[in-house]
Amino acid sequence: MKFKTVTLKAWKDIRKHSKHGWLYRGHREANWKLESSFERCCKRHDVEPGKRRELERRLFREFQRTYTLYAKHTPLSNSIIEWLSLMQHYGAPTRLLDFTYSIYVAAYFATEEADGESAVWALDAKWVSSLLKK
């Protein structure tokens, strides 16, 4: 896997790096790896790898239990991706990583709260899809 680093000198230069069919993710810290909020949470709280699955199950069950008290629409209990998406939307740590087809949306999230160097990850969607088929 090859990585290429590009530094923009002006905001208008971002247009040159937008490609059809690519996925983008903004990070407010340039040195952040592609890790889910759940992974970062486990590292921050020193949760051992062997205990992470149970923690994720507990978080999932607790979110389902409390969400149904406040929501009009609740997914079926076995709709895992829909539940994880709701958890992600409301700020709960999940194994999901948000990507967008818009380099501008990714740049917004990269720079919104950045204090220093931020980053936008760009992945070729066809390449990602080929990995998923293996």
Side-chain angles (χ1 to χ4, degrees):
M1 181 179 345
K2 292 189 273 182
F3 292 103
K4 179 180 176 185
T5 302
V6 176
T7 302
L8 299 181
K9 298 196 185 326
W11 175 252
K12 65 181 174 61
D13 295 338
I14 197 169
R15 185 179 63 232
K16 297 178 206 171
H17 300 286
S18 180
K19 296 179 182 174
H20 180 73
W22 280 60
L23 304 169
Y24 301 95
R25 177 174 172 79
H27 281 183
R28 71 172 184 234
E29 298 283 339
N31 61 345
W32 281 1
K33 297 177 182 177
L34 287 177
E35 292 180 313
S36 70
S37 59
F38 182 73
E39 290 173 292
R40 289 193 307 271
C41 178
C42 287
K43 287 179 181 178
R44 189 170 48 250
H45 296 287
D46 296 321
V47 178
E48 297 172 25
K51 296 182 179 181
R52 292 178 183 184
R53 183 173 291 275
E54 181 55 31
L55 173 61
E56 184 181 37
R57 280 191 198 115
R58 285 195 341 251
L59 288 168
F60 190 83
R61 280 193 311 265
E62 183 64 18
F63 184 85
Q64 281 183 311
R65 188 181 68 74
T66 56
Y67 183 77
T68 57
L69 299 173
Y70 304 102
K72 292 180 183 176
H73 164 75
T74 56
L76 297 174
S77 61
N78 63 347
S79 298
I80 307 297
I81 294 297
E82 195 171 354
W83 279 106
L84 288 172
S85 296
L86 284 169
M87 290 175 71
Q88 181 92 351
H89 175 74
Y90 286 104
T94 72
R95 65 173 93 171
L96 302 180
L97 278 176
D98 291 330
F99 281 86
T100 177
Y101 285 107
S102 170
I103 196 169
Y104 300 104
V105 170
Y108 170 79
F109 284 107
T111 58
E112 176 188 28
E113 296 180 17
D115 292 325
E117 293 283 318
S118 58
V120 172
W121 286 81
L123 303 174
D124 183 344
K126 288 180 185 176
W127 174 77
V128 171
S129 181
S130 74
L131 292 176
L132 298 174
K133 293 176 185 175
K134 291 182 179 180

